[in-house]
Amino acid sequence: MNRIVMILGMHRSGTSFLTNWLQRCGLYVGAELYGEDIGNRDGHFEDWNFIDLHRRALKEKPFEVQREDFDFEKHARYLVEVNNSSHKQWAWKDPRTCLLLDKWHMIIPDTSAIVIFRHYSFVVDSIMRRYKSQTEKKHFLVKAYRLIFLYWRKKRIYNFYLSEWIKYNQQILMYLKKKDRKDYLVVSLDILLQSSEAIIAYFNNLGFELSYTDPLTIFKPNLFAESISEKFDFRTDLEEKAKAIYSELVVLSRTNQFL
């Protein structure tokens, strides 16, 4: 029987670090992976096949390759079959998975899942800092335009990313309600670092065959800021939703049955 893990979390929440670690513990996560960039110097650890599938399903691909009759289920089942035929235990990570969990639950309802979450302020701050870093690499005219755009639209931009954090994590919580409690873990970065041996034991108790590697050997504290770089004046209604979702994730993380 194949063992599959969906690695879930909003962008900039630690999903790449988690996937890198699980790969080092023996979990196959793909052969052709999305490599490094400004935001992830060690790489994203995302299988291009799943990225392409999700981009097509969410219509993120360029217009000329869009197809109204794109059959997500057909292509998703094919990827599952290909990976199952070659790997006894495997996983994939692409934050877009969170937006397609209803479809994935229909295709592989019994798969395991691990969710990593991060406070919304730190996620938004990380995205904004990455935007600024990417701007620094642009031609000076493009750089000037982006900085002016950011200056005038900053509040709208960071509230948009807060709404994205809400959307991704709402989808995760809705999905978890359909799962048996023993089939998923919810962790923060702190829990991951403090309970790493228990996490591997949890998966091995489910039938995986993972070998423990200390995540501290690959952990780079500078990639996870301990304070935000600026104070965000979030919309009150959005922040209230975000606080409620964050609290629910914290409660789930504290009630992991096997940690």
Side-chain angles (χ1 to χ4, degrees):
M1 179 179 177
N2 296 90
R3 303 293 179 182
I4 309 171
V5 184
M6 284 199 294
I7 299 168
L8 304 175
M10 168 63 178
H11 302 273
R12 316 306 296 169
S13 294
T15 54
S16 296
F17 174 69
L18 171 59
T19 308
N20 181 7
W21 174 60
L22 289 174
Q23 181 187 53
R24 290 168 184 263
C25 292
L27 194 60
Y28 178 80
V29 298
E32 187 179 355
L33 302 177
Y34 180 7
E36 68 173 274
D37 63 13
I38 290 175
N40 288 69
R41 293 299 185 187
D42 292 329
H44 291 260
F45 300 91
E46 296 173 10
D47 186 327
W48 275 110
N49 292 307
F50 284 90
I51 294 174
D52 185 66
L53 172 69
H54 296 150
R55 282 180 174 175
R56 287 177 180 273
L58 297 170
K59 299 189 176 181
E60 293 182 5
K61 295 289 285 185
F63 178 79
E64 61 269 21
V65 299
Q66 288 293 339
R67 288 171 38 195
E68 292 297 328
D69 62 342
F70 178 70
D71 190 334
F72 175 88
E73 182 176 345
K74 174 184 175 181
H75 288 78
R77 288 190 183 279
Y78 173 76
L79 285 182
V80 172
E81 290 171 6
V82 167
N83 280 283
N84 277 343
S85 67
S86 303
H87 305 282
K88 180 181 177 182
Q89 54 185 22
W90 61 279
W92 82 87
K93 169 257 181 178
D94 174 16
R96 297 173 188 83
T97 305
C98 301
L99 305 179
L100 296 161
L101 284 170
D102 282 346
K103 296 180 182 294
W104 277 115
H105 185 62
M106 292 177 60
I107 295 166
I108 44 175
D110 298 326
T111 187
S112 301
I114 182 167
V115 177
I116 187 166
F117 69 97
R118 192 180 185 191
H119 192 277
Y120 54 87
S121 294
F122 286 92
V123 169
V124 172
D125 185 61
S126 179
I127 294 172
M128 297 297 286
R129 285 188 287 107
R130 181 174 62 174
Y131 181 91
K132 292 175 183 177
S133 296
Q134 291 171 335
T135 297
E136 291 298 319
K137 303 293 183 180
K138 301 293 184 181
H139 184 277
F140 77 95
L141 290 177
V142 176
K143 176 180 175 181
Y145 170 79
R146 287 174 65 119
L147 289 175
I148 291 171
F149 179 80
L150 179 61
Y151 176 78
W152 289 109
R153 310 278 288 200
K154 178 183 283 189
K155 185 172 181 177
R156 182 170 181 177
I157 293 171
Y158 64 64
N159 275 301
F160 167 76
Y161 286 121
L162 177 60
S163 69
E164 288 292 287
W165 185 95
I166 292 170
K167 179 169 68 174
Y168 275 67
N169 286 290
Q170 277 181 331
Q171 292 298 313
I172 289 171
L173 290 173
M174 289 170 60
Y175 169 69
L176 295 184
K177 286 179 171 62
K178 301 174 184 178
K179 302 282 289 178
D180 190 303
R181 189 62 186 89
K182 67 178 177 59
D183 290 333
Y184 65 85
L185 291 178
V186 178
V187 301
S188 62
L189 178 64
D190 287 343
I191 291 173
L192 170 58
L193 295 176
Q194 294 168 10
S195 304
S196 55
E197 291 185 76
I199 291 171
I200 297 303
Y202 160 81
F203 282 116
N204 287 341
N205 285 335
L206 292 179
F208 289 82
E209 297 177 1
L210 303 179
S211 300
Y212 178 72
T213 297
D214 189 341
L216 288 174
T217 61
I218 58 169
F219 179 59
K220 297 179 180 177
N222 61 302
L223 298 180
F224 297 93
E226 294 183 359
S227 60
I228 59 174
S229 60
E230 60 181 296
K231 181 175 175 57
F232 298 111
D233 183 21
F234 291 126
R235 273 176 40 194
T236 302
D237 59 324
L238 289 178
E239 187 160 24
E240 287 178 353
K241 289 180 182 179
K243 285 180 178 178
I245 291 169
Y246 183 75
S247 294
E248 192 168 349
L249 290 166
V250 169
V251 169
L252 286 173
S253 72
R254 289 174 177 170
T255 55
N256 285 317
Q257 295 182 19
F258 302 100
L259 298 189

